[in-house]
């Protein structure tokens, strides 16, 4: 059995070149190499990232620099958000060890996986968390919760490697089809939300972001297969066209009644 | 049952203030606070350490700054050396998780524990490793072994905390007496080595450091109780006085023979 493919590390809006470089270094320490960076604050490339990587150049040399989260996670099928447990989202919460076990199992099944980290000060946006399938929470002491970004990456990567070394090498056999890549789910979300917008669903408008988020989390948890996504897009289409037909019917009935009144 | 007392973190000859500060920060993240620094290269205090600690000031404010390793570990009863597996020493090698379990168990019995880290480039001296009771090895990828000091501290501290959260809280009950603090073992080592020096044991002289090391490791593994250390010091004293008596006897015999020859 080949070595399972390690998860991608996705850094959302990182601020400090040193943290990006330190993250690359510790990725290399634990056998990870697929780094994706969304909107690095100070642009790219950043010389100080390479200095901090201290020779672990390859995650930086091959880093995928993205403008949007969709671009960064499009090909991934299982993504965990590294963050303190957020109250807003109904996602399962894992310790780093549990998350590593899940990622390892998924990777053993041939899925492409990733772990998403937020920027240094603010942490992950809930909209980005809503694109993930679970929360990875590092068990920090309540008295000092502020974990350095590269240290959070270190703990997650360490657990990945510890999991590989611990895991009995077993062949995975599953009867279910693999979940789709994130881009397919994002396509479904946007289709649905656009139809809901047209339908005046997001009311009042200021509530729209949280309504979108809750929808995405709930659907995301379903870990849909390709067939299921196609089915659901069909559902959205059918419902929205159905609504059009209902409206047309009502309009026709109204017109007919009006015509009758005119005659009478 | 009270929270077990976390291990002390001992940094031997650290070079960079940033690493000391980052170590303090991640110690605070995982509930550790007893920091001991042996010969910080750039002196002490170092403002950049406090900057890197990012608010986790207390391990730095209360850090014990030491000139020697003996001073730093004198009160500790169980110490692990964080290092790649060294071929020279016959100490048990643990993963960070196994080491955390051992430390937690020892701490639950009331022992004072510590984890020792070497300087950034060179790593721990074998003479310092020889004062420890086991090796903690972070499972890095062979292709990039160079782990940042603060990242190594992070993994060790993380496992300590994960162990606390996982461990079923059980009362420990042991019939054996606790092992002595390191200072008592160092006293025994020095006593023994001084006597061996006088006896011309360390020959050729350039082999002395490795001979000392091997002795210390072997004795250290015994995890002696107070009574046993006193017994062993008695052994050393008895043997060296005994050797004195043998020498005196030989000298007397030689003198007597010489006197006889002079007479004859």
């Amino acid at each position: 059995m080949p070595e399972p493919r390690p998860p991608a590390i996705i850094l959302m809006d990182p601020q400090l070149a040193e943290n990006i470089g330190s993250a690359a270094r510790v990725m290399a320490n634990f056998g990870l190499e697929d780094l994706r960076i969304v909107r690095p604050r100070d642009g790219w490339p950043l010389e100080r990232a390479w200095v901090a990587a201290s020779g672990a150049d390859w995650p930086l040399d091959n880093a995928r620099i993205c403008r949007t989260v969709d671009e960064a996670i499009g090909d991934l099928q299982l993504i965990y958000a590294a963050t303190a447990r957020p109250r807003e989202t109904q996602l399962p919460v894992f310790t780093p060890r549990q998350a590593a076990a899940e990622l390892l199992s998924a990777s053993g099944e041939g899925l492409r996986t990733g772990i998403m980290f937020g920027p240094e000060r603010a942490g992950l946006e809930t909209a980005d968390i809503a694109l993930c399938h679970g929360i990875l929470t590092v068990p920090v002491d309540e008295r000092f919760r502020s974990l350095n970004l590269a240290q959070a990456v270190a703990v997650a990567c360490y657990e990945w490697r510890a999991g590989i070394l611990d895991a009995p090498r077993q062949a995975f056999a599953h009867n279910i089809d693999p979940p789709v890549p994130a881009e397919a789910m994002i396509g479904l979300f946007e289709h649905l939300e656009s139809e809901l917008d047209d339908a005046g669903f997001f009311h009042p408008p200021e509530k729209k972001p949280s309504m979108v988020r809750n929808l995405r989390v709930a659907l995301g948890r379903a870990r849909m297969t390709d067939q299921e996504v196609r089915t659901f897009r069909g559902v959205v289409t059918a419902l929205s066209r159905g609504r059009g037909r209902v409206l047309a019917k009502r309009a026709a009935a109204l017109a007919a009644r009006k015509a009758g009144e005119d005659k009478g």
Side-chain angles (χ1 to χ4, degrees), chain A:
Chain A
M1 184 181 160
E3 191 94 333
R5 184 192 187 105
I9 296 296
I10 304 122
L11 304 182
M12 298 297 302
D13 304 287
Q15 301 177 343
L16 300 176
E18 286 79 2
N19 283 338
I20 301 172
S22 297
R25 177 174 178 179
V26 82
M27 285 173 66
N29 286 140
F30 296 122
L32 289 80
E33 54 186 39
D34 183 352
L35 177 60
R36 302 161 182 209
I37 313 175
V38 180
R39 297 178 298 262
R41 185 190 65 183
D42 299 335
W44 197 259
L46 295 164
E47 196 193 332
R48 277 149 68 218
W50 271 262
V51 172
S54 200
D57 291 345
W58 58 99
L60 297 175
D61 292 342
N62 303 318
R64 190 190 297 188
I65 309 302
C66 307
R67 284 157 307 150
T68 67
V69 66
D70 299 8
E71 208 180 319
I73 64 170
D75 60 322
L76 304 179
Q77 291 158 299
L78 179 67
I79 309 155
Y80 287 155
T83 181
R85 183 183 194 141
R87 277 161 298 182
E88 302 92 339
T89 51
Q90 295 298 313
L91 285 171
V93 178
F94 299 100
T95 66
R97 192 166 308 163
Q98 292 165 334
E102 296 290 322
L103 290 167
L104 190 54
S105 165
S107 183
E109 293 168 34
L111 302 196
R112 301 189 64 156
T113 64
I115 312 175
M116 184 189 287
F117 296 82
E120 283 87 344
R121 287 178 193 283
L124 279 174
E125 298 278 352
T126 41
D128 297 329
I129 296 174
L131 292 171
C132 299
H133 306 101
I135 308 283
L136 181 163
T137 295
V138 178
V140 290
D141 191 313
E142 293 296 328
R143 289 167 293 182
F144 191 73
R145 303 187 56 83
S146 163
L147 185 65
N148 169 262
L149 172 57
Q151 299 285 35
V153 174
V155 167
C157 294
Y158 158 72
E159 281 288 11
W160 165 262
R161 185 158 178 83
I164 286 185
L165 299 176
D166 282 356
R169 297 304 180 84
Q170 51 190 339
F172 293 94
H174 280 262
N175 294 322
I176 57 169
D177 289 321
V180 292
E183 62 189 351
M185 285 309 288
I186 292 170
L188 171 59
F189 293 155
E190 290 175 348
H191 181 191
L192 173 65
E193 290 150 15
S194 145
E195 291 295 345
L196 290 173
D197 246 342
D198 288 350
F201 173 83
F202 296 115
H203 187 78
E206 63 270 24
K207 286 272 177 72
K208 182 178 172 185
S210 64
M211 295 170 84
V212 163
R213 203 160 60 222
N214 294 339
L215 286 170
R216 289 184 170 205
V217 166
L219 278 175
R221 269 207 319 274
R223 315 276 322 277
M224 291 186 189
T225 65
D226 191 53
Q227 178 56 54
E228 288 164 343
V229 167
R230 273 184 281 129
T231 303
F232 267 85
R233 292 197 69 147
V235 167
V236 173
T237 302
L239 291 177
S240 46
R241 280 190 194 156
R243 190 182 70 243
R245 275 205 296 274
V246 170
L247 290 177
K249 214 168 171 179
R250 280 194 196 150
L254 195 65
R257 200 165 61 205
K258 209 169 177 203
E261 281 166 4
D262 287 349
K263 276 186 187 171

